Structure formats: structure tokens, C-alpha cells
Amino acid sequence: MEVNGYKIEPNANLAGANLRVADLCGADLCGANLTGADLAAADLAAANLRGANLKGAQLWGADLRGANLRGANLTGANLTDAILTGANLKLINLTNADLRSANLADADLTGATLANAHLEK
């Protein structure tokens, strides 16, 4: 699968990629490097981001419903207004992440690291 000229596949190096408003519904990005990527308002519903590095990524307004983010690194990521309903967030690192107004209904945060995460609305 190719989106905006980027090859979308497991373990892809997409550091700094511009995937704003991209349709990545159901994409397999397991173990991908998305450090500093712009995924604002992207459709990542049911995507596999297990173990992905999303450090500093822009995910504000992104749709991550039912996505698998188990063990992903979202240190410093911006998830303002993101939809994480039913997402697998087990063992995720959300240190210093911005989760203001994010929808975390039915998300599994078992073992998640939330140090200094901004959770208030």
C-alpha cells in the first residue's frame, strides 16, 4: 500500500512523514518508525501500530478506534481530540503525551506509562 508517496508496511521508516488526513484504516505499521510524523486527522481505525515508534508524532484529531498500539512509544505525541475508543494501549508509553479531549472510552491502558501526560479536557 502506498499513501502520499510513502510505502505503508510493517517496520517502515516513516520518520517525519506527512500523512496528515491520510486514509490508513486497517494499515499494518507494526514496528514502524513514525518519529515526528504528521498524522493529524488521519484515519487509523483498526490499524496495527504494535511496537511502533510515534515519539513526537502529531496525531491530533486522528481516528484510532480499535487500533492496536500495544507497546508503542508515543512519548511527547500530540493526541489532542484523538479517538481511541476500544484501542489496545497495553504497555504503551505516553510520557509527556497530550491527550486533552481524547476519547479513551473502552481503551485498554493496562501497564501504560502515563508520566506527565496531559489528560484533562
Side-chain angles (χ1 to χ4, degrees):
M1 164 193 228
E2 196 167 302
V3 177
N4 295 351
Y6 299 103
K7 196 166 184 180
I8 306 302
E9 63 186 3
N11 301 308
N13 184 3
L14 299 167
N18 180 1
L19 294 165
R20 181 180 286 237
V21 195
D23 181 0
L24 298 167
C25 184
D28 188 357
L29 287 162
C30 180
N33 178 8
L34 290 151
T35 304
D38 186 352
L39 293 151
D43 183 354
L44 290 155
N48 182 9
L49 292 155
R50 183 180 177 125
N53 186 356
L54 291 142
K55 183 176 182 179
Q58 294 300 314
L59 289 152
W60 56 265
D63 184 350
L64 291 150
R65 278 181 272 209
N68 181 5
L69 288 141
R70 182 184 178 105
N73 179 9
L74 278 97
T75 301
N78 183 352
L79 291 145
T80 304
D81 294 321
I83 304 166
L84 294 151
T85 307
N88 179 354
L89 305 177
K90 288 181 181 179
L91 306 172
I92 194 170
N93 186 349
L94 290 163
T95 301
N96 295 318
D98 190 344
L99 292 153
R100 287 178 284 192
S101 299
N103 185 343
L104 294 163
D106 298 320
D108 188 346
L109 286 154
T110 305
T113 302
L114 295 163
N116 298 316
H118 305 285
L119 298 167
E120 68 280 349
K121 291 189 177 198

